[in-house]
Structures are given as structure tokens and as C-alpha cells.
Amino acid sequence: LAKTTQPISMDSYEGQEVNITCSHNNIATNDYITWYQQFPSQGPRFIIQGYKTKVTNEVASLFIPADRKSSTLSLPRVSLSDTAVYYCLVGDVQGSARQLTFGSGTQLTVLP
Amino acid sequence: DGGITQSPKYLFRKEGQNVTLSCEQNLNHDAMYWYRQDPGQGLRLIYYSQIVNDFQKGDIAEGYSVSREKKESFPLTVTSAQKNPTAFYLCASSLYDTVDGEQFFGPGTRLTVL
């Protein structure tokens, strides 16, 4: 199973773009990359998922280089309400979701 | 409104008592999951169910039990055998048990053992 490594914490200011990078050096061919967001005392919420290159939705972008050994979640123009823990998960699309591991994640703090 | 609900939001239990946490979804999802989260930690999988009348142990199933008699319900029982049950419990569901399927989480139940 691919193991992921993320920074423990990051600080940013309102209005800035935030990039959170996740390393997954032993990612397998069929693995997809998924990001979730969790606010205190709430369940995580799906943000974005991708396999290669770039994926964009209404809240974030996901950049995946050609070797797929890392991925970067990009949050444009963050606000105070984006303060949360962000989880990077990697798993084989042909397998059960039980393989997805929510590690400690990255605590993003947005400052005024 | 479609969604996933958990009750109660807060639960207090005396040592030695069993307690059951409720999880209901009206999303018509086949797969359901129970996770445990300790302060400052990630989520750990307790049990999951890919389809009604079937469930599998996750990484930390000892001291817990589940049932899946109905598609929309997946209750978790924390038994007295669970050594350190105080934690935040999260239930989730997804259309199918696949990696590329979005998991929808409930609001959680915070269990405290007195």
C-alpha cells in the first residue's frame, strides 16, 4: 500500500493561494489520489480526486507530476473558513476503500 | 434532504457498559464505514460493510461489533471489552466500496467513558 507523507502544519494569510504537497513515493499504477478536508468536531469532506496531470473543481486544483510520486492540493485565495485539516489518501482504484488511510493530515491555519 | 446522520452527538458511558452508536443514511449507498478518531490523530477504520447483511473487520475491530440488517443502517456497539473507548466516532457511506467513490461522513458521536 502506498504510504503518504504530508507536512504536519502550515500557516497562510487570507487571500493567498495555498499549496499543500503530499509525497507518495511508492504509488502503484492503479492508485488514485484523493484529498479530504476536516473541520474540528466534524466528519471529513471530499475535496478532489485525480490520477495524473491536473484536476480542477470549484474549490481546489490538484496537480500531479508525470512520475506521480507526489501531488499538490492548491487552494486559491483562502479565507479564515479554510482553516482545517487536509488529508491526502492514495489507493488502488480496483480495490476496496478500506485501504484508504486517513493519517494525521496537514493542519492549515489561515490568519487574518 | 439526503445525507447521513449519527446519534447521539455526545454520549457518556460508565466503565463496563456496552453502548450502541446509531448511523443512518438515506443516500441509497451500498457501502458503510465506521471510523474512530483520537485527539490530534487521523481516522482509523473499525468496521466496514460493502453490502447489506455483510461486514468486514477494519484495523481496530477488537472490542467493537456491528450489524447491517438494513441498507440504510449500520449501528456500532462499543463493548466493555474495548479498553479505551473514549474517542470521536465517525460513520461514512459511499455508493460502492471503491477507492474512486466519495465517502460521505456523518457529524460524528463523541463518546466519553466516565
Side-chain angles (χ1 to χ4, degrees):
Chain A
L1 298 175
K3 180 180 177 180
T4 60
T5 302
Q6 304 175 233
I8 294 174
S9 63
M10 293 180 66
D11 289 344
S12 182
Y13 291 95
E14 279 191 291
Q16 290 188 334
E17 178 184 75
V18 170
N19 296 310
I20 305 174
T21 297
C22 178
S23 296
H24 26 80
N25 290 320
N26 60 341
I27 191 169
T29 302
N30 291 328
D31 284 348
Y32 271 62
I33 301 155
T34 310
W35 287 81
Y36 279 79
Q37 173 193 56
Q38 185 181 25
F39 297 113
S41 296
Q42 294 186 25
R45 184 179 68 174
F46 174 91
I47 301 175
I48 199 166
Q49 183 178 70
Y51 180 78
K52 63 180 181 180
T53 64
K54 177 183 175 182
V55 180
T56 298
N57 61 23
E58 62 276 9
V59 298
S61 294
L62 179 59
F63 297 93
I64 306 169
D67 66 5
R68 305 200 324 122
K69 293 185 183 298
S70 66
S71 59
T72 299
L73 174 72
S74 181
L75 305 172
R77 299 179 299 281
V78 293
S79 64
L80 297 177
S81 63
D82 292 314
T83 293
V85 176
Y86 293 82
Y87 298 97
C88 167
L89 296 80
V90 174
D92 188 334
V93 71
Q94 297 178 352
S96 164
R98 69 94 65 238
Q99 66 188 286
L100 297 176
T101 301
F102 288 82
S104 298
T106 298
Q107 170 66 60
L108 172 66
T109 302
V110 180
L111 305 168
Chain B
D1 286 335
I4 182 166
T5 58
Q6 293 184 242
S7 61
K9 188 172 179 63
Y10 297 96
L11 189 57
F12 297 89
R13 181 196 102 174
K14 292 183 179 179
E15 277 193 45
Q17 289 181 337
N18 292 357
V19 63
T20 297
L21 282 57
S22 169
C23 177
E24 303 279 332
Q25 53 97 1
N26 61 2
L27 301 167
N28 201 32
H29 285 173
D30 276 343
M32 297 188 75
Y33 311 83
W34 272 106
Y35 292 91
R36 168 183 172 140
Q37 186 171 35
D38 294 286
Q41 305 296 314
L43 283 66
R44 292 185 288 170
L45 183 65
I46 305 173
Y47 268 98
Y48 67 107
S49 170
Q50 296 173 316
I51 198 166
V52 66
N53 290 323
D54 182 66
F55 50 84
Q56 310 291 334
K57 291 182 179 179
D59 301 318
I60 55 166
E62 184 176 351
Y64 301 97
S65 66
V66 294
S67 63
R68 187 83 189 277
E69 298 176 0
K70 297 186 297 182
K71 187 175 186 177
E72 57 271 21
S73 180
F74 191 41
L76 172 75
T77 296
V78 184
T79 75
S80 56
Q82 169 51 233
K83 301 299 183 193
N84 185 18
T86 295
F88 187 46
Y89 290 88
L90 288 159
C91 180
S93 72
S94 61
L95 187 57
Y96 305 113
D97 181 35
T98 57
V99 163
D100 61 347
E102 177 181 349
Q103 288 191 33
F104 293 81
F105 283 82
T109 292
R110 192 167 297 279
L111 173 64
T112 302
V113 175
L114 304 173

